[in-house]
Amino acid sequence: MDLVFALALNGIVWGLIIALIALGLSIIFGLLDIINIAHGDFFMVGTVLAWTVLQTTGNYWLAFLLVPIIGFGLGLLINHAVIQPIKNAAALSIVATFGLSIILQESVRATYGAAPNRLVAPIQETLLLFGIQYEVYRIFAAAIAIFAICVFFGFLHKTKLGTWMRAVRFDPEIATAMGIPAHRIYMVTFGIGFAMAALGGVVAAPITTVDFQGGIDILPFCFMAVIIGGLGNLEGTVAAAVLLAFVEGIITSFTDPTIARIGSLIFMSAVLIVRPHGIFVGATR
Amino acid sequence: MRVTDTYKFGSWLLVLFTLTAPWVLPLLVDSFWVDIYSEILIWSLLAASVNLLLGYVGLLSFGQALFFGFGMYGVAIGVVKFDLGFWSAFIFGISLATGMAAIAGSLAVRLTWHYFAIITVVFSLIFYFTALSWKPITGGDDGLPFTIPPIISFGDYKLTMTNANFQYFFIVTIVGACYWLMYRVINSPLGRAFVTVRENDARAALIGLNVYLIRLTAFIFAGFIAGVAGALFALFGRYASASYMFYHVSGEAVVWAIIGGVGTLFGPIVGTGLMIVLREELSSVWDHYLLLVGVAVILTVIFAPRGIGGAFKALAEKIARQQFSRKESGP
Amino acid sequence: MSNVPLLEVTNVNKRFGGLKALQDVNLSLETGKLHAIIGPNGAGKTTLFNVVTGTIPVTSGRIKFLGTDMTNDKIHRISRRGLARTLQIKSVFANMTVRENLWIAAQSHHGVFSPFKSWKKCVRSVEMADIICEQIGLTSLADQTASNLSHGDIALLEMGLALATEPKLLLLDEPICGMGPAETEQTVIKIQEISKSTAIIIIEHDIEVVFKIADEITVMANGTVLAKGTPESIAANSDVRNAYLGDDDDD
Ligand SMILES: Nc1ncnc2c1ncn2[C@@H]1O[C@H](COP(=O)(O)OP(=O)(O)O)[C@@H](O)[C@H]1O
Ligand SMILES: [Mg+2]
């Protein structure tokens, strides 16, 4: 029973981190109409950057600040070099971002190396939680993820830029006609998307391994959250991510984690075919 | 005139090279290139199956590796678990892939655009994970090796694929038959219907085409071709493995098809050949040659989305037009 | 004359969310007439074509074609029954030649989609394509890719696509919109020619053209049918004059 509880808790923590990353994927998909196969690698780059910050400065906390900023910059760069040039060939965006994924993984392998590393969490304490010893860092990670998600929603609803983003998503032509600089919005969106995935990397690095292939597992999970939650339904994405990870966590305590993953994927296919707008009723936008 | 002539010339050159490769390649380079060429031919079928969907009905599948994997496992499981002979195992593999394509397709072609791409990846991932965890049948990570049964045996005499020349020509025959089949289908009324759906599906329905059925037919046909590729590759490598069902394999096939040029029959061979030769030549000298692949993919999508085949076609047509206009204005 | 109407629309309603695009539309149409639908923008004319051809489902009501109920039937089935249409936003198969465009339309109507035969050997459709090419006057452009055609020629080709399916009823949605005066005149003559052998419903904004060619006119406004009758009776109808023809027709 303790194990079930711990795995369920782990699931929720992971779900929140995935939600953070998947939100980035969702806004990129929603605004730019681009399937970003490289999104898992954005996360991976985040973990590697976090590792690098720790190695060079010895202070992991700095990574929480620095890595999202670097990620934002990388996002702008990639948007300029890859995404904008293929905007007119959106059908092939999936191919271009596949190429991007290869480049990111291979660059990391060339610089950081092929061997996976484990990071020591900046908080080592454990806490007695409902009868089990639970790592405090995981709770902290969940808190950071929640905080970042809240900041993101606040940004989207309370700032001018966020409102513009929603307007462009709703109808790019009308938005442009109203004088919203759609081009700049795309740029910022991609930057934010990368930054969120990278922040997810920083948060997750101490509880996973830092590896150039670390994004490969994350990517399907993010897509599941985005699709099951409903494309463009950002609250749905968050809910779906947490729910999925929670259920997978519980199933994992009974059987092979792969079986849990297969179950989620089948569920996702059913959602795609039967309810392509996600499982949350009445959610439009 | 000139355009079709260049095509004919190119096709004949390809055929001639293919038929003489086991003797020519060892003279020119090294005899292991014969095997690499066999591999190129097999993998080009996987790229061709991507091309059938993307180039002819306009659906980008990121999950063709699923059918490759089914063809592969069909052969291996047929030999290992059911004790099938060569031909029955081969046919079993292909049927398994085609059947899977019919089931997956009947669901997938309800979707289009990015959703279609996503669901094809998801389907292939489901079976990838299944193959990974179902070790007693699939061998999981380690794969499922097998001893290749003889093709025919008269008493003591056995003809098997362990004979290198025979193996090569077996592959050439099957791959050749597949391209012939694709050529026929593409130039048939059905092939025209494919292109019509690619061009404008809403319009196609309004003139009476059953768009769903046409997409499904194309999907099953593409699954069949990918299945043949997988079955051949199993026979060639004498094993099957879950790793060939991963979406990176599908992605690679998409890359080959696009670099070679979608919407042209031989584009996939050109793309696959180029990228595999590149890999063979570069991977030994430069560990990170994949960087080059990534860059090539992005550049192709940005600057030459119709690939080498498309660029060649455009060039040939331009030359033809110039000659035509010169003739018109000449004395 | 048989008393089964060609097209029978009964109490059809179409709602888009809160917007009532069609409200209790009733329409009965006999064979062999050129029928026109007029009405201001947003009246629901295109929506009526959309529900009749199965492009969008009706909210309620029934649609019968040649006595058979085909409400919410599949688009391609309706097309194969003999109902063809052109779209307000012109649409053809851009990367195919004019001939190929017409060939596929003819083939989809009466041909089989054999996977092995060469498409050029489907003689019947090849001949049909040539005939239609001649009929719409695009023979000289037959081997041009459709994307190279002028706007007017695309409109003609689209009409050809519909004709190649040998329809019993042809729905034309603003076929001369965007054409120059000369093209318009030619196209109108062609429409009149076609109407001798095929029933036509035409949506058109050019009132002059409508009154010249139509045997029967339906006036729509705000999703309802305002009036239906001969051009003379429509011209005399005071409701219509108030609602639609307005002031610019004060003779
Ligand atoms: N697919 C649709 N979704 C929502 N509203 C629509 C749709 N199609 C048409 N409408 C609305 O229905 C009304 C009638 O449109 P339409 O039939 O195109 O008019 P007309 O062809 O007479 O100009 C308009 O208000 C239009 O905005
Ligand atoms: Mg209209």
Side-chain angles (χ1 to χ4, degrees), chain C residues 2-3 7-8 15 17 38 56 66 72 94 98 110-111 132 163 171 175 198 209 217 226 249:
Chain C
S2 83
N3 43 15
L7 182 71
E8 202 177 3
R15 252 178 247 126
I38 58 173
I56 55 175
L66 287 169
N72 296 347
V98 169
H110 60 233
I132 303 289
L163 284 177
L171 309 181
T198 311
V209 168
I217 296 176
L226 214 60
D249 204 33

mmCIF file with all atom_site columns, all heavy atoms in Angstrom, chain C residues 2-3 7-8 15 17 38 56 66 72 94 98 110-111 132 163 171 175 198 209 217 226 249:
data_model
loop_
_atom_site.group_PDB
_atom_site.id
_atom_site.type_symbol
_atom_site.label_atom_id
_atom_site.label_alt_id
_atom_site.label_comp_id
_atom_site.label_asym_id
_atom_site.label_entity_id
_atom_site.label_seq_id
_atom_site.pdbx_PDB_ins_code
_atom_site.Cartn_x
_atom_site.Cartn_y
_atom_site.Cartn_z
_atom_site.occupancy
_atom_site.B_iso_or_equiv
_atom_site.pdbx_formal_charge
_atom_site.auth_seq_id
_atom_site.auth_comp_id
_atom_site.auth_asym_id
_atom_site.auth_atom_id
_atom_site.pdbx_PDB_model_num
ATOM 1   N N   . SER C 1 2   ? -44.073 13.381 -65.329 1.00 0.00 ? 2   SER C N   1
ATOM 2   C CA  . SER C 1 2   ? -44.220 12.685 -64.051 1.00 0.00 ? 2   SER C CA  1
ATOM 3   C C   . SER C 1 2   ? -44.401 13.712 -62.941 1.00 0.00 ? 2   SER C C   1
ATOM 4   O O   . SER C 1 2   ? -43.929 14.835 -63.042 1.00 0.00 ? 2   SER C O   1
ATOM 5   C CB  . SER C 1 2   ? -42.981 11.835 -63.767 1.00 0.00 ? 2   SER C CB  1
ATOM 6   O OG  . SER C 1 2   ? -41.979 12.630 -63.202 1.00 0.00 ? 2   SER C OG  1
ATOM 7   N N   . ASN C 1 3   ? -45.107 13.337 -61.913 1.00 0.00 ? 3   ASN C N   1
ATOM 8   C CA  . ASN C 1 3   ? -45.330 14.338 -60.873 1.00 0.00 ? 3   ASN C CA  1
ATOM 9   C C   . ASN C 1 3   ? -44.365 14.227 -59.690 1.00 0.00 ? 3   ASN C C   1
ATOM 10  O O   . ASN C 1 3   ? -44.573 14.829 -58.660 1.00 0.00 ? 3   ASN C O   1
ATOM 11  C CB  . ASN C 1 3   ? -46.786 14.308 -60.402 1.00 0.00 ? 3   ASN C CB  1
ATOM 12  C CG  . ASN C 1 3   ? -47.268 12.883 -60.224 1.00 0.00 ? 3   ASN C CG  1
ATOM 13  O OD1 . ASN C 1 3   ? -46.434 11.971 -60.179 1.00 0.00 ? 3   ASN C OD1 1
ATOM 14  N ND2 . ASN C 1 3   ? -48.573 12.705 -60.119 1.00 0.00 ? 3   ASN C ND2 1
ATOM 15  N N   . LEU C 1 7   ? -36.335 17.963 -57.125 1.00 0.00 ? 7   LEU C N   1
ATOM 16  C CA  . LEU C 1 7   ? -35.784 18.231 -55.798 1.00 0.00 ? 7   LEU C CA  1
ATOM 17  C C   . LEU C 1 7   ? -36.905 18.729 -54.906 1.00 0.00 ? 7   LEU C C   1
ATOM 18  O O   . LEU C 1 7   ? -37.692 19.582 -55.303 1.00 0.00 ? 7   LEU C O   1
ATOM 19  C CB  . LEU C 1 7   ? -34.691 19.297 -55.892 1.00 0.00 ? 7   LEU C CB  1
ATOM 20  C CG  . LEU C 1 7   ? -33.987 19.646 -54.588 1.00 0.00 ? 7   LEU C CG  1
ATOM 21  C CD1 . LEU C 1 7   ? -33.084 18.513 -54.148 1.00 0.00 ? 7   LEU C CD1 1
ATOM 22  C CD2 . LEU C 1 7   ? -33.180 20.921 -54.752 1.00 0.00 ? 7   LEU C CD2 1
ATOM 23  N N   . GLU C 1 8   ? -36.976 18.162 -53.717 1.00 0.00 ? 8   GLU C N   1
ATOM 24  C CA  . GLU C 1 8   ? -38.035 18.558 -52.807 1.00 0.00 ? 8   GLU C CA  1
ATOM 25  C C   . GLU C 1 8   ? -37.428 18.820 -51.434 1.00 0.00 ? 8   GLU C C   1
ATOM 26  O O   . GLU C 1 8   ? -36.915 17.918 -50.781 1.00 0.00 ? 8   GLU C O   1
ATOM 27  C CB  . GLU C 1 8   ? -39.076 17.443 -52.733 1.00 0.00 ? 8   GLU C CB  1
ATOM 28  C CG  . GLU C 1 8   ? -40.417 17.924 -52.269 1.00 0.00 ? 8   GLU C CG  1
ATOM 29  C CD  . GLU C 1 8   ? -41.438 16.803 -52.287 1.00 0.00 ? 8   GLU C CD  1
ATOM 30  O OE1 . GLU C 1 8   ? -41.063 15.650 -52.609 1.00 0.00 ? 8   GLU C OE1 1
ATOM 31  O OE2 . GLU C 1 8   ? -42.600 17.062 -51.956 1.00 0.00 ? 8   GLU C OE2 1
ATOM 32  N N   . ARG C 1 15  ? -29.106 25.466 -38.198 1.00 0.00 ? 15  ARG C N   1
ATOM 33  C CA  . ARG C 1 15  ? -28.621 26.408 -37.205 1.00 0.00 ? 15  ARG C CA  1
ATOM 34  C C   . ARG C 1 15  ? -27.112 26.298 -37.040 1.00 0.00 ? 15  ARG C C   1
ATOM 35  O O   . ARG C 1 15  ? -26.571 25.205 -37.012 1.00 0.00 ? 15  ARG C O   1
ATOM 36  C CB  . ARG C 1 15  ? -29.303 26.131 -35.856 1.00 0.00 ? 15  ARG C CB  1
ATOM 37  C CG  . ARG C 1 15  ? -30.315 27.204 -35.483 1.00 0.00 ? 15  ARG C CG  1
ATOM 38  C CD  . ARG C 1 15  ? -31.012 26.880 -34.184 1.00 0.00 ? 15  ARG C CD  1
ATOM 39  N NE  . ARG C 1 15  ? -32.411 26.598 -34.430 1.00 0.00 ? 15  ARG C NE  1
ATOM 40  C CZ  . ARG C 1 15  ? -33.033 25.495 -34.047 1.00 0.00 ? 15  ARG C CZ  1
ATOM 41  N NH1 . ARG C 1 15  ? -32.369 24.556 -33.378 1.00 0.00 ? 15  ARG C NH1 1
ATOM 42  N NH2 . ARG C 1 15  ? -34.297 25.309 -34.320 1.00 0.00 ? 15  ARG C NH2 1
ATOM 43  N N   . GLY C 1 17  ? -24.901 27.235 -34.198 1.00 0.00 ? 17  GLY C N   1
ATOM 44  C CA  . GLY C 1 17  ? -24.969 27.784 -32.852 1.00 0.00 ? 17  GLY C CA  1
ATOM 45  C C   . GLY C 1 17  ? -26.296 28.505 -32.700 1.00 0.00 ? 17  GLY C C   1
ATOM 46  O O   . GLY C 1 17  ? -27.364 27.928 -32.887 1.00 0.00 ? 17  GLY C O   1
ATOM 47  N N   . ILE C 1 38  ? -32.201 34.183 -55.548 1.00 0.00 ? 38  ILE C N   1
ATOM 48  C CA  . ILE C 1 38  ? -31.566 35.471 -55.287 1.00 0.00 ? 38  ILE C CA  1
ATOM 49  C C   . ILE C 1 38  ? -31.823 35.847 -53.837 1.00 0.00 ? 38  ILE C C   1
ATOM 50  O O   . ILE C 1 38  ? -32.648 35.231 -53.155 1.00 0.00 ? 38  ILE C O   1
ATOM 51  C CB  . ILE C 1 38  ? -32.084 36.582 -56.230 1.00 0.00 ? 38  ILE C CB  1
ATOM 52  C CG1 . ILE C 1 38  ? -33.595 36.728 -56.094 1.00 0.00 ? 38  ILE C CG1 1
ATOM 53  C CG2 . ILE C 1 38  ? -31.711 36.278 -57.672 1.00 0.00 ? 38  ILE C CG2 1
ATOM 54  C CD1 . ILE C 1 38  ? -34.157 37.918 -56.861 1.00 0.00 ? 38  ILE C CD1 1
ATOM 55  N N   . ILE C 1 56  ? -22.984 19.906 -45.431 1.00 0.00 ? 56  ILE C N   1
ATOM 56  C CA  . ILE C 1 56  ? -23.228 20.042 -43.991 1.00 0.00 ? 56  ILE C CA  1
ATOM 57  C C   . ILE C 1 56  ? -24.587 19.412 -43.676 1.00 0.00 ? 56  ILE C C   1
ATOM 58  O O   . ILE C 1 56  ? -25.482 19.418 -44.524 1.00 0.00 ? 56  ILE C O   1
ATOM 59  C CB  . ILE C 1 56  ? -23.195 21.522 -43.528 1.00 0.00 ? 56  ILE C CB  1
ATOM 60  C CG1 . ILE C 1 56  ? -24.173 22.366 -44.344 1.00 0.00 ? 56  ILE C CG1 1
ATOM 61  C CG2 . ILE C 1 56  ? -21.816 22.107 -43.618 1.00 0.00 ? 56  ILE C CG2 1
ATOM 62  C CD1 . ILE C 1 56  ? -24.270 23.803 -43.865 1.00 0.00 ? 56  ILE C CD1 1
ATOM 63  N N   . LEU C 1 66  ? -35.336 13.289 -56.671 1.00 0.00 ? 66  LEU C N   1
ATOM 64  C CA  . LEU C 1 66  ? -36.005 12.315 -57.529 1.00 0.00 ? 66  LEU C CA  1
ATOM 65  C C   . LEU C 1 66  ? -36.823 11.324 -56.714 1.00 0.00 ? 66  LEU C C   1
ATOM 66  O O   . LEU C 1 66  ? -36.799 10.121 -56.958 1.00 0.00 ? 66  LEU C O   1
ATOM 67  C CB  . LEU C 1 66  ? -34.981 11.556 -58.378 1.00 0.00 ? 66  LEU C CB  1
ATOM 68  C CG  . LEU C 1 66  ? -34.359 12.365 -59.515 1.00 0.00 ? 66  LEU C CG  1
ATOM 69  C CD1 . LEU C 1 66  ? -33.182 11.624 -60.110 1.00 0.00 ? 66  LEU C CD1 1
ATOM 70  C CD2 . LEU C 1 66  ? -35.400 12.665 -60.587 1.00 0.00 ? 66  LEU C CD2 1
ATOM 71  N N   . ASN C 1 72  ? -29.011 14.319 -45.220 1.00 0.00 ? 72  ASN C N   1
ATOM 72  C CA  . ASN C 1 72  ? -27.765 13.989 -44.525 1.00 0.00 ? 72  ASN C CA  1
ATOM 73  C C   . ASN C 1 72  ? -27.055 12.752 -45.066 1.00 0.00 ? 72  ASN C C   1
ATOM 74  O O   . ASN C 1 72  ? -26.336 12.076 -44.349 1.00 0.00 ? 72  ASN C O   1
ATOM 75  C CB  . ASN C 1 72  ? -28.008 13.804 -43.027 1.00 0.00 ? 72  ASN C CB  1
ATOM 76  C CG  . ASN C 1 72  ? -28.471 15.088 -42.381 1.00 0.00 ? 72  ASN C CG  1
ATOM 77  O OD1 . ASN C 1 72  ? -28.391 16.159 -42.988 1.00 0.00 ? 72  ASN C OD1 1
ATOM 78  N ND2 . ASN C 1 72  ? -28.940 15.007 -41.158 1.00 0.00 ? 72  ASN C ND2 1
ATOM 79  N N   . ALA C 1 94  ? -5.814  21.679 -58.624 1.00 0.00 ? 94  ALA C N   1
ATOM 80  C CA  . ALA C 1 94  ? -4.869  22.662 -59.145 1.00 0.00 ? 94  ALA C CA  1
ATOM 81  C C   . ALA C 1 94  ? -3.684  22.060 -59.902 1.00 0.00 ? 94  ALA C C   1
ATOM 82  O O   . ALA C 1 94  ? -3.289  22.591 -60.936 1.00 0.00 ? 94  ALA C O   1
ATOM 83  C CB  . ALA C 1 94  ? -4.369  23.543 -58.004 1.00 0.00 ? 94  ALA C CB  1
ATOM 84  N N   . VAL C 1 98  ? -6.295  20.360 -67.266 1.00 0.00 ? 98  VAL C N   1
ATOM 85  C CA  . VAL C 1 98  ? -7.723  20.523 -67.487 1.00 0.00 ? 98  VAL C CA  1
ATOM 86  C C   . VAL C 1 98  ? -8.342  19.178 -67.860 1.00 0.00 ? 98  VAL C C   1
ATOM 87  O O   . VAL C 1 98  ? -9.361  18.754 -67.326 1.00 0.00 ? 98  VAL C O   1
ATOM 88  C CB  . VAL C 1 98  ? -7.960  21.551 -68.614 1.00 0.00 ? 98  VAL C CB  1
ATOM 89  C CG1 . VAL C 1 98  ? -9.410  21.547 -69.054 1.00 0.00 ? 98  VAL C CG1 1
ATOM 90  C CG2 . VAL C 1 98  ? -7.527  22.926 -68.142 1.00 0.00 ? 98  VAL C CG2 1
ATOM 91  N N   . HIS C 1 110 ? -19.143 7.175  -63.661 1.00 0.00 ? 110 HIS C N   1
ATOM 92  C CA  . HIS C 1 110 ? -19.609 5.901  -64.198 1.00 0.00 ? 110 HIS C CA  1
ATOM 93  C C   . HIS C 1 110 ? -18.523 4.847  -64.273 1.00 0.00 ? 110 HIS C C   1
ATOM 94  O O   . HIS C 1 110 ? -18.757 3.746  -64.717 1.00 0.00 ? 110 HIS C O   1
ATOM 95  C CB  . HIS C 1 110 ? -20.241 6.094  -65.571 1.00 0.00 ? 110 HIS C CB  1
ATOM 96  C CG  . HIS C 1 110 ? -19.279 6.679  -66.568 1.00 0.00 ? 110 HIS C CG  1
ATOM 97  N ND1 . HIS C 1 110 ? -19.558 7.791  -67.299 1.00 0.00 ? 110 HIS C ND1 1
ATOM 98  C CD2 . HIS C 1 110 ? -18.039 6.305  -66.911 1.00 0.00 ? 110 HIS C CD2 1
ATOM 99  C CE1 . HIS C 1 110 ? -18.516 8.083  -68.054 1.00 0.00 ? 110 HIS C CE1 1
ATOM 100 N NE2 . HIS C 1 110 ? -17.592 7.209  -67.833 1.00 0.00 ? 110 HIS C NE2 1
ATOM 101 N N   . GLY C 1 111 ? -17.309 5.193  -63.861 1.00 0.00 ? 111 GLY C N   1
ATOM 102 C CA  . GLY C 1 111 ? -16.211 4.253  -64.043 1.00 0.00 ? 111 GLY C CA  1
ATOM 103 C C   . GLY C 1 111 ? -15.922 3.442  -62.804 1.00 0.00 ? 111 GLY C C   1
ATOM 104 O O   . GLY C 1 111 ? -16.444 3.686  -61.735 1.00 0.00 ? 111 GLY C O   1
ATOM 105 N N   . ILE C 1 132 ? -16.623 17.472 -72.876 1.00 0.00 ? 132 ILE C N   1
ATOM 106 C CA  . ILE C 1 132 ? -16.872 18.571 -71.930 1.00 0.00 ? 132 ILE C CA  1
ATOM 107 C C   . ILE C 1 132 ? -15.927 19.739 -72.211 1.00 0.00 ? 132 ILE C C   1
ATOM 108 O O   . ILE C 1 132 ? -16.309 20.908 -72.167 1.00 0.00 ? 132 ILE C O   1
ATOM 109 C CB  . ILE C 1 132 ? -16.688 18.095 -70.475 1.00 0.00 ? 132 ILE C CB  1
ATOM 110 C CG1 . ILE C 1 132 ? -17.599 16.917 -70.169 1.00 0.00 ? 132 ILE C CG1 1
ATOM 111 C CG2 . ILE C 1 132 ? -16.952 19.239 -69.499 1.00 0.00 ? 132 ILE C CG2 1
ATOM 112 C CD1 . ILE C 1 132 ? -19.067 17.241 -70.079 1.00 0.00 ? 132 ILE C CD1 1
ATOM 113 N N   . LEU C 1 163 ? -20.367 19.087 -64.886 1.00 0.00 ? 163 LEU C N   1
ATOM 114 C CA  . LEU C 1 163 ? -21.028 18.509 -66.064 1.00 0.00 ? 163 LEU C CA  1
ATOM 115 C C   . LEU C 1 163 ? -20.517 17.117 -66.391 1.00 0.00 ? 163 LEU C C   1
ATOM 116 O O   . LEU C 1 163 ? -21.277 16.253 -66.826 1.00 0.00 ? 163 LEU C O   1
ATOM 117 C CB  . LEU C 1 163 ? -20.806 19.422 -67.276 1.00 0.00 ? 163 LEU C CB  1
ATOM 118 C CG  . LEU C 1 163 ? -21.636 20.680 -67.299 1.00 0.00 ? 163 LEU C CG  1
ATOM 119 C CD1 . LEU C 1 163 ? -21.257 21.514 -68.518 1.00 0.00 ? 163 LEU C CD1 1
ATOM 120 C CD2 . LEU C 1 163 ? -23.120 20.335 -67.331 1.00 0.00 ? 163 LEU C CD2 1
ATOM 121 N N   . LEU C 1 171 ? -26.200 22.560 -59.571 1.00 0.00 ? 171 LEU C N   1
ATOM 122 C CA  . LEU C 1 171 ? -26.317 23.730 -58.708 1.00 0.00 ? 171 LEU C CA  1
ATOM 123 C C   . LEU C 1 171 ? -25.126 24.643 -58.966 1.00 0.00 ? 171 LEU C C   1
ATOM 124 O O   . LEU C 1 171 ? -23.990 24.235 -58.798 1.00 0.00 ? 171 LEU C O   1
ATOM 125 C CB  . LEU C 1 171 ? -26.327 23.310 -57.236 1.00 0.00 ? 171 LEU C CB  1
ATOM 126 C CG  . LEU C 1 171 ? -27.302 22.210 -56.801 1.00 0.00 ? 171 LEU C CG  1
ATOM 127 C CD1 . LEU C 1 171 ? -27.167 21.959 -55.308 1.00 0.00 ? 171 LEU C CD1 1
ATOM 128 C CD2 . LEU C 1 171 ? -28.725 22.590 -57.137 1.00 0.00 ? 171 LEU C CD2 1
ATOM 129 N N   . PRO C 1 175 ? -21.829 31.631 -60.510 1.00 0.00 ? 175 PRO C N   1
ATOM 130 C CA  . PRO C 1 175 ? -20.853 31.189 -61.512 1.00 0.00 ? 175 PRO C CA  1
ATOM 131 C C   . PRO C 1 175 ? -20.161 32.328 -62.249 1.00 0.00 ? 175 PRO C C   1
ATOM 132 O O   . PRO C 1 175 ? -19.051 32.148 -62.733 1.00 0.00 ? 175 PRO C O   1
ATOM 133 C CB  . PRO C 1 175 ? -21.692 30.344 -62.476 1.00 0.00 ? 175 PRO C CB  1
ATOM 134 C CG  . PRO C 1 175 ? -23.076 30.845 -62.311 1.00 0.00 ? 175 PRO C CG  1
ATOM 135 C CD  . PRO C 1 175 ? -23.194 31.247 -60.878 1.00 0.00 ? 175 PRO C CD  1
ATOM 136 N N   . THR C 1 198 ? -30.253 19.867 -68.908 1.00 0.00 ? 198 THR C N   1
ATOM 137 C CA  . THR C 1 198 ? -30.081 19.585 -67.488 1.00 0.00 ? 198 THR C CA  1
ATOM 138 C C   . THR C 1 198 ? -30.812 20.634 -66.667 1.00 0.00 ? 198 THR C C   1
ATOM 139 O O   . THR C 1 198 ? -30.738 21.823 -67.001 1.00 0.00 ? 198 THR C O   1
ATOM 140 C CB  . THR C 1 198 ? -28.580 19.645 -67.115 1.00 0.00 ? 198 THR C CB  1
ATOM 141 O OG1 . THR C 1 198 ? -27.853 18.870 -68.051 1.00 0.00 ? 198 THR C OG1 1
ATOM 142 C CG2 . THR C 1 198 ? -28.339 19.115 -65.716 1.00 0.00 ? 198 THR C CG2 1
ATOM 143 N N   . VAL C 1 209 ? -29.060 39.483 -65.256 1.00 0.00 ? 209 VAL C N   1
ATOM 144 C CA  . VAL C 1 209 ? -28.845 38.143 -65.807 1.00 0.00 ? 209 VAL C CA  1
ATOM 145 C C   . VAL C 1 209 ? -29.947 37.203 -65.349 1.00 0.00 ? 209 VAL C C   1
ATOM 146 O O   . VAL C 1 209 ? -30.534 36.470 -66.145 1.00 0.00 ? 209 VAL C O   1
ATOM 147 C CB  . VAL C 1 209 ? -27.461 37.597 -65.368 1.00 0.00 ? 209 VAL C CB  1
ATOM 148 C CG1 . VAL C 1 209 ? -27.352 36.113 -65.679 1.00 0.00 ? 209 VAL C CG1 1
ATOM 149 C CG2 . VAL C 1 209 ? -26.350 38.369 -66.035 1.00 0.00 ? 209 VAL C CG2 1
ATOM 150 N N   . ILE C 1 217 ? -37.966 31.991 -60.156 1.00 0.00 ? 217 ILE C N   1
ATOM 151 C CA  . ILE C 1 217 ? -37.058 32.649 -59.217 1.00 0.00 ? 217 ILE C CA  1
ATOM 152 C C   . ILE C 1 217 ? -37.547 32.442 -57.788 1.00 0.00 ? 217 ILE C C   1
ATOM 153 O O   . ILE C 1 217 ? -38.747 32.548 -57.513 1.00 0.00 ? 217 ILE C O   1
ATOM 154 C CB  . ILE C 1 217 ? -36.949 34.164 -59.510 1.00 0.00 ? 217 ILE C CB  1
ATOM 155 C CG1 . ILE C 1 217 ? -36.333 34.392 -60.895 1.00 0.00 ? 217 ILE C CG1 1
ATOM 156 C CG2 . ILE C 1 217 ? -36.099 34.860 -58.441 1.00 0.00 ? 217 ILE C CG2 1
ATOM 157 C CD1 . ILE C 1 217 ? -36.286 35.845 -61.309 1.00 0.00 ? 217 ILE C CD1 1
ATOM 158 N N   . LEU C 1 226 ? -38.742 34.091 -49.242 1.00 0.00 ? 226 LEU C N   1
ATOM 159 C CA  . LEU C 1 226 ? -39.620 35.249 -49.222 1.00 0.00 ? 226 LEU C CA  1
ATOM 160 C C   . LEU C 1 226 ? -40.708 35.115 -50.283 1.00 0.00 ? 226 LEU C C   1
ATOM 161 O O   . LEU C 1 226 ? -41.869 35.416 -50.047 1.00 0.00 ? 226 LEU C O   1
ATOM 162 C CB  . LEU C 1 226 ? -38.774 36.496 -49.505 1.00 0.00 ? 226 LEU C CB  1
ATOM 163 C CG  . LEU C 1 226 ? -39.173 37.774 -48.813 1.00 0.00 ? 226 LEU C CG  1
ATOM 164 C CD1 . LEU C 1 226 ? -39.110 37.585 -47.300 1.00 0.00 ? 226 LEU C CD1 1
ATOM 165 C CD2 . LEU C 1 226 ? -38.202 38.886 -49.226 1.00 0.00 ? 226 LEU C CD2 1
ATOM 166 N N   . ASP C 1 249 ? -34.256 49.921 -58.454 1.00 0.00 ? 249 ASP C N   1
ATOM 167 C CA  . ASP C 1 249 ? -35.003 49.296 -59.544 1.00 0.00 ? 249 ASP C CA  1
ATOM 168 C C   . ASP C 1 249 ? -36.348 50.006 -59.733 1.00 0.00 ? 249 ASP C C   1
ATOM 169 O O   . ASP C 1 249 ? -37.390 49.391 -59.789 1.00 0.00 ? 249 ASP C O   1
ATOM 170 C CB  . ASP C 1 249 ? -35.229 47.813 -59.214 1.00 0.00 ? 249 ASP C CB  1
ATOM 171 C CG  . ASP C 1 249 ? -35.441 46.994 -60.477 1.00 0.00 ? 249 ASP C CG  1
ATOM 172 O OD1 . ASP C 1 249 ? -34.822 47.363 -61.499 1.00 0.00 ? 249 ASP C OD1 1
ATOM 173 O OD2 . ASP C 1 249 ? -36.213 46.032 -60.443 1.00 0.00 ? 249 ASP C OD2 1
#
